[in-house]
Structures are given as structure tokens and as C-alpha cells.
Amino acid sequence: AIAAAALGLGLFAQAVFVLACAGKLNSGALSALTLAAAVLAVPFLSRPLPPRLPAWNHAQGAAAGLLAYAALCAVVTALAPPVEWDVLAYHLALPELYLKAGALFETPWMIHSHWPRLMEVLYSLPLAAGSDGTAALIHAGAAILLVGAVAASAGTTPAAWTAALMLAGQPALLRVAGTAHADAATALFVFAAAYALSQWEDSRKEGWLIVGGMLAGLAVSAKLLGAAALCAWTLVLIWKTRRPREALLFAGAGLLM
């Protein structure tokens, strides 16, 4: 579920990017794409579980409360009008320009337009509906999903709560979680890629290598810093396996993204 959620978000953003490259970035095409994605996602959604109160002790209950408060802060911040320079200067300005042109185009006067733009094109979705605040909600959702993925990966052990609290309490994450940045999404893709690689190490199924490579590639597409993870893991795979096949599968899937 961790890898699937991150991969779904990334592939949907890539689909929007393809629309922009094809010169079809408009509200009609975006609405059709969103509807198609929703229809495709329905068979993969698990049945909702009946609501029940978890059997938490006092420490776990306090940790859950703190995590819920951090998530609430991110959502409330996201609902406020954007004021950060980065957000107004290019994270939302670029997709606004792309929407007006109906396509992706070069803006030589803005250096930020030459950086990876996966999240920026995704923000064109709420901007097309006239809601710049919803763009921040997308990033807040990625941050909440990241913290949840970290907790879920460790099960219900004390380590899960500790890891989730340490991540949710990071000032850097708290500052950008409720804004239309790309950092939380990049961290989500990197963590999901690490999870996929751990699954490959346990099962040796090549499908996990491909999924991990795709997620690492999505991290690069969201923020150039993600290239460090893709390159490092490729070198680690060569060192661990002593053959190029696994590294080529991983790096090849990443480069496709």
C-alpha cells in the first residue's frame, strides 16, 4: 500500500505532465484525466473496515494525538492563502503560466522553470478550478501520507510511533507541509522507493526493483535532489549483487520517469 499510494500519485502527476507536453493542458482535459484515474483506482481500493477504537495504551494515545495535531496544522496552513516567496514566485506561478498557454513552454527568464516540475504541473489541477489553496492541500496530503507510511512500515511497535513522531516533529517538514512545495512529495517518493528495495531484498522479485526504480525516478522528477537517491541505490545494487542486471532494471525504470 505504501508503494502503491506513492506510485499512484507520481504516475497521475506524470499523466498531467504528458498533457502539458502535448499542448492539452486545459480544464476539460484535466477533468477527463481525473475521472479516468478515479475509475482506474476503484478496483484497487480495499473494502472499508468497520470503525473500531484501537487498543492503544496511554503513550500510544498521546503519540496519536500529537500526530493528529501535526496533520491538522498542515491542513489549516494549507487552507490559508499562500504567502511564501517560493510558492508565489514559481511553484504556483509556473503552472498558472502553463494553464494560460495550454501547454508546457520554456521560460528562459525564470531559472526555476528549468528544475524538475512534477509537482508544479500537478498543481495546475486545482489552479484550473480556480483554487490555489487546494494545491497546498495536495502537498499536505503527501506529507501526511509520508508520516503514515513511516509508521506503517514498522507495524505497531514502539519504533513505529517514535519514527513517526520524530519525522512529524521536524521543523523543516512542519514548515513546508501545508504549502505548495515539492519537498514532502520528494521525501515520500524516496521513502517508498526504499521500502520497495527492502521488499526486493526479502523476496528477490524483480518487480520490486522496477517499482523502486520508478519511485526513485519520480523523486528526481519532483526535485533534483532525488537524483542522489537514484544514483546511490544504483551503485549499492551493483556492489551488493556484483552484476549489472539488477542495477540496470532499477536505474532504467527510474530514467523512464
Side-chain angles (χ1 to χ4, degrees):
I2 295 172
L7 192 60
L9 174 67
L11 290 179
F12 182 72
Q14 287 285 23
V16 178
F17 185 81
V18 170
L19 278 181
C21 291
K24 303 295 182 182
L25 195 64
N26 54 67
S27 57
L30 289 171
S31 299
L33 178 63
T34 304
L35 180 61
V39 171
L40 289 173
V42 168
F44 298 98
L45 296 177
S46 57
R47 293 181 179 180
L49 297 175
R52 62 176 182 177
L53 188 65
W56 291 334
N57 57 36
H58 293 300
Q60 291 172 330
L66 288 171
L67 291 174
Y69 177 72
L72 178 63
C73 287
V75 171
V76 170
T77 303
L79 292 174
V83 294
E84 286 202 5
W85 184 89
D86 290 11
V87 174
L88 295 174
Y90 59 96
H91 284 301
L92 293 182
L94 281 172
E96 187 74 41
L97 291 173
Y98 298 153
L99 275 171
K100 288 180 179 179
L104 204 67
F105 65 96
E106 185 185 6
T107 49
W109 45 269
M110 185 184 289
I111 188 173
H112 309 93
S113 67
H114 298 89
W115 295 350
R117 288 167 284 180
L118 185 69
M119 295 306 294
E120 282 72 23
V121 293
L122 185 59
Y123 294 152
S124 65
L125 221 71
L127 290 176
S131 174
D132 54 1
T134 311
L137 280 175
I138 294 174
H139 193 254
I144 293 169
L145 185 58
L146 169 64
V147 175
V150 169
S153 66
T156 57
T157 63
W161 293 103
T162 304
L165 284 171
M166 289 180 67
L167 177 60
Q170 289 293 318
L173 183 65
L174 288 172
R175 187 179 71 83
V176 302
T179 60
H181 277 79
D183 304 84
T186 305
L188 173 64
F189 294 138
V190 170
F191 179 80
Y195 175 81
L197 284 175
S198 71
Q199 294 298 305
W200 167 79
E201 198 160 17
D202 291 339
S203 65
R204 295 292 167 168
K205 293 181 179 178
E206 292 184 343
W208 281 113
L209 272 180
I210 296 172
V211 170
M214 292 173 69
L215 287 163
L218 288 170
V220 182
S221 299
K223 198 175 182 72
L224 195 57
L225 190 62
L230 179 63
C231 294
W233 280 326
T234 301
L235 293 174
V236 168
L237 283 170
I238 295 174
W239 176 74
K240 287 179 71 72
T241 61
R242 307 296 182 186
R243 56 183 184 181
R245 175 177 172 79
E246 287 80 2
L248 286 173
L249 275 174
F250 177 82
L255 291 174
L256 282 175
M257 295 292 104

